[in-house]
Amino acid sequence: MINQGRENFSHTRFFCALLLFQPIFPAILRQLTTMNQGQTVSIFNHEGILHASPDIICAIDQACRILFINEAAHRLLGYTTGELTGQSFLNLVDPEGREVIEKILADIMKGLPLGRFDHHSNTREGKKLIIRWSVNWQQEAGMLYCVGRDITDRLQQEKLQQESEARYRKLFQNNPLPMWIIDPDTKQFLEVNEKAIHHYGYSREEFLSMTAFDIRPEEDRPLMTNLHRKQEGENLVYQGRWRHIKKNGERIDVDITSHYIEHEGRNIALVLANDVTEQVKIERRQKQQQRNEEALINATRDMIWSLDQNFRLLAANRSFHEATQFAYKASLRLGDSVIDELQFPPEQIQRWKALYNRALKGEAFQMQSKGASTNPGEERWWETSFYPIFDGDNVTGIVCHSRDITMNRRYQSELLQLNQKLETAQKIAQLGYWELDLATNDLFWTMEVYNIWDRHPSQFRPTLDAFIESLHPDDR
């Protein structure tokens, strides 16, 4: 047990030593330097400062016994200062680490520069804490003055942050798409992943000496100064399609997604580049094919249109739209019903719906009908074909094709009338007309030839052999 004077002296020097650790107490330190030996007893009017500290403050002797410890030990570890005073400092250390800490303390007392160390401590409730100690060995006093801070939560946060950074770095480096980090102001490359190096052909050193301007055609570079970004949470995000140039000069189309974030106190842009060159080529071919198809179906005066199972218009050429506009004053857009009661007369809806339903049942057929004409009083005829659209065994829609057959019907009518007149003339003159197909030996007879031969078309098939057989034996 140390005496009171020694205790006061030791506490005073202990407090002074701690002030060297705690630059927040310069005023008290200046006060101590002006005190004499008799005044040092009053220094412990400031002992409340030690107990108010959030860190553990203690003094231990050469045998590692705790001579003084503040109330922070109670708050952090659950043991009172009375319970800890006089106990071994090593009792604060987790048993598995005591041997290591004992050696560290011995080395410090030998004057080795080991002023900081960490160890695990067990609280009264069994919780494990990590305490970081700063120590100062006072040879004259034969004491170690120690300040211990609970860094458990901080280390846990650092560990989580390191793990998170490791995951993101792994995601960055192993991403199957090219990625890089650039300075959003200068566009300087700060980091690139392996896929970017492989895909673009530049080495890492070459990338890091370049800017994002360098991988774009010169004519596209001014566009980079005015990019539209949108807010997503706390980050600014940009998405767009650009042309890039590989090291070998090949131009590619890429979809860019860029996140503007803060990292280690600076703003950076994390960029992902998706090469869509082949997709763009396919899209261009599809658009060209679509234009060709539109030009093809619009080059004809025939009407072509298609509809789904619900009679909604899927596609139509210009002639279809012109005809429906002229005949019914109907203006149909893709997706509109072709049996809309507001645009078509009820009798037309009923008629066309019946035809569409036939095709939706899987039947392909043709029909002829009269239609309106742009010339008043003129009769127009249309031949309409209906073709079901199959998806496997199911009918999913209909393709319709309608052509003006007015002239065909007119020519057929005139030809019929001409044939009738020819037959009448042959009958009057008792003259017949016949043709012989030299390849098949088939004969074509007009009706008057049948009459002359006293044969009927239903009972006699004219062939060369049949004709010779019908002659008198002397004339064959």
Side-chain angles (χ1 to χ4, degrees):
M1 190 73 179
I2 57 177
N3 61 42
Q4 184 66 34
R6 176 65 176 170
E7 180 182 0
N8 288 338
F9 178 76
S10 299
H11 276 67
T12 300
R13 295 193 62 175
F14 168 50
F15 191 64
C16 291
L18 289 174
L19 293 177
L20 297 176
F21 282 128
Q22 305 290 337
I24 62 173
F25 302 137
I28 299 176
L29 181 58
R30 286 194 298 271
Q31 180 182 352
L32 284 170
T33 60
T34 62
M35 289 181 179
N36 57 36
Q37 183 68 24
Q39 291 173 317
T40 54
V41 179
S42 65
I43 189 64
F44 287 97
N45 292 332
H46 301 290
E47 192 173 330
I49 296 176
L50 299 179
H51 290 299
S53 171
D55 297 332
I56 300 175
I57 300 173
C58 67
I60 62 176
D61 63 14
Q62 290 177 303
C64 292
R65 290 193 305 269
I66 298 173
L67 303 179
F68 171 86
I69 193 163
N70 68 345
E71 290 292 338
H74 184 208
R75 291 190 295 271
L76 292 176
L77 302 176
Y79 300 101
T80 67
T81 57
E83 290 176 306
L84 295 175
T85 301
Q87 298 293 320
S88 173
F89 177 85
L90 297 176
N91 289 342
L92 300 179
V93 182
D94 185 78
E96 294 182 0
R98 286 177 185 173
E99 184 176 344
V100 174
I101 299 303
E102 184 177 15
K103 184 178 185 307
I104 290 175
L105 293 176
D107 289 341
I108 292 174
M109 293 178 191
K110 292 176 183 177
L112 296 179
L114 303 173
R116 177 173 294 181
F117 59 88
D118 299 343
H119 71 74
H120 289 84
S121 288
N122 297 320
T123 68
R124 185 186 290 273
E125 292 77 16
K127 180 181 178 182
K128 281 188 178 294
L129 300 180
I130 301 175
I131 308 296
R132 174 162 292 172
W133 291 94
S134 297
V135 299
N136 183 20
W137 169 243
Q138 293 293 318
Q139 182 68 36
E140 292 182 15
M143 290 187 188
L144 278 173
Y145 301 108
C146 311
V147 177
R149 176 165 294 177
D150 179 7
I151 61 171
T152 308
D153 290 341
R154 192 179 85 184
L155 290 181
Q156 181 65 24
Q157 290 300 321
E158 290 176 356
K159 180 181 178 182
L160 292 176
Q161 183 176 355
Q162 291 171 357
E163 291 175 349
S164 177
E165 290 179 354
R167 286 195 300 270
Y168 279 108
R169 178 163 292 278
K170 184 176 181 181
L171 178 63
F172 176 81
Q173 290 294 349
N174 298 330
N175 198 292
L177 295 177
M179 293 186 72
W180 51 77
I181 298 173
I182 63 171
D183 185 311
D185 298 322
T186 66
K187 309 303 185 208
Q188 182 74 39
F189 285 101
L190 304 177
E191 184 59 272
V192 293
N193 71 352
E194 291 298 326
K195 185 63 177 181
I197 294 171
H198 174 74
H199 194 69
Y200 283 78
Y202 296 102
S203 68
R204 185 180 304 278
E205 291 72 21
E206 288 174 321
F207 258 120
L208 298 185
S209 67
M210 298 163 57
T211 70
F213 293 106
D214 297 327
I215 62 172
R216 286 169 168 80
E218 187 172 352
E219 61 271 22
D220 291 356
R221 295 173 186 177
L223 302 176
M224 294 183 65
T225 59
N226 189 24
L227 301 179
H228 175 68
R229 306 178 182 94
K230 61 181 180 179
Q231 191 76 34
E232 290 188 2
E234 298 181 355
N235 299 329
L236 284 174
V237 178
Y238 167 79
Q239 292 179 315
R241 180 164 292 181
W242 289 84
R243 294 183 299 171
H244 282 182
I245 303 176
K246 294 183 177 182
K247 185 177 181 178
N248 62 7
E250 179 187 354
R251 295 197 177 194
I252 59 175
D253 296 284
V254 295
D255 281 344
I256 291 294
T257 302
S258 176
H259 291 260
Y260 288 70
I261 60 178
E262 183 177 338
H263 179 68
E264 296 181 351
R266 67 180 297 184
N267 292 324
I268 63 171
L270 179 62
V271 182
L272 183 144
N274 183 19
D275 188 340
V276 293
T277 306
E278 291 304 317
Q279 177 183 334
V280 169
K281 290 179 181 178
I282 293 173
E283 290 174 353
R284 288 172 182 164
R285 287 196 296 266
Q286 290 175 339
K287 288 180 180 179
Q288 183 60 46
Q289 182 180 353
Q290 183 178 356
R291 287 192 291 268
N292 293 341
E293 291 174 352
E294 289 176 354
L296 182 62
I297 66 174
N298 286 323
T300 177
R301 296 304 302 169
D302 296 352
M303 293 184 291
I304 303 172
W305 71 101
S306 64
L307 57 148
D308 64 15
Q309 291 175 301
N310 298 313
F311 311 109
R312 289 190 298 258
L313 189 64
L314 297 177
N317 69 346
R318 187 182 299 114
S319 295
F320 173 83
H321 288 292
E322 291 174 353
T324 53
Q325 177 67 36
F326 171 77
Y328 306 109
K329 302 297 187 290
S331 180
L332 293 177
R333 296 173 300 180
L334 299 185
D336 288 348
S337 174
V338 295
I339 54 172
D340 185 358
E341 296 179 356
L342 298 178
Q343 301 202 63
F344 300 99
E347 64 276 9
Q348 291 295 332
I349 291 176
Q350 183 178 1
R351 173 172 169 266
W352 280 97
K353 187 174 182 180
L355 294 171
Y356 290 145
N357 279 328
R358 281 180 61 185
L360 287 173
K361 292 178 180 178
E363 180 183 357
F365 62 96
Q366 292 181 339
M367 51 85 64
Q368 295 183 1
S369 61
K370 291 182 181 179
S373 172
T374 55
N375 299 323
E378 184 181 25
E379 184 181 81
R380 309 297 295 182
W381 280 86
W382 297 87
E383 180 182 80
T384 305
S385 301
F386 298 81
Y387 301 98
I389 301 174
F390 285 93
D391 182 7
D393 295 331
N394 300 319
V395 178
T396 59
I398 313 168
V399 174
C400 305
H401 175 268
S402 189
R403 63 189 184 98
D404 187 344
I405 59 171
T406 303
M407 295 304 298
N408 289 348
R409 288 179 62 92
R410 186 177 298 168
Y411 293 150
Q412 290 175 0
S413 177
E414 292 175 354
L415 181 60
L416 179 61
Q417 294 177 11
L418 183 61
N419 286 336
Q420 289 175 345
K421 290 178 181 179
L422 180 60
E423 288 182 0
T424 301
Q426 289 179 357
K427 188 174 183 179
I428 293 174
Q430 292 185 342
L431 294 175
Y433 167 77
W434 59 270
E435 288 183 357
L436 172 64
D437 187 331
L438 296 178
T440 63
N441 286 334
D442 287 338
L443 285 172
F444 167 76
W445 285 2
T446 62
M447 195 62 198
E448 189 59 26
V449 176
Y450 281 103
N451 292 333
I452 293 173
W453 248 254
D454 193 22
R455 299 286 193 275
H456 193 275
S458 63
Q459 298 175 349
F460 180 77
R461 177 173 174 268
T463 64
L464 179 59
D465 293 337
F467 169 69
I468 295 175
E469 184 67 25
S470 68
L471 296 177
H472 189 279
D474 295 339
D475 297 332
R476 294 175 184 172

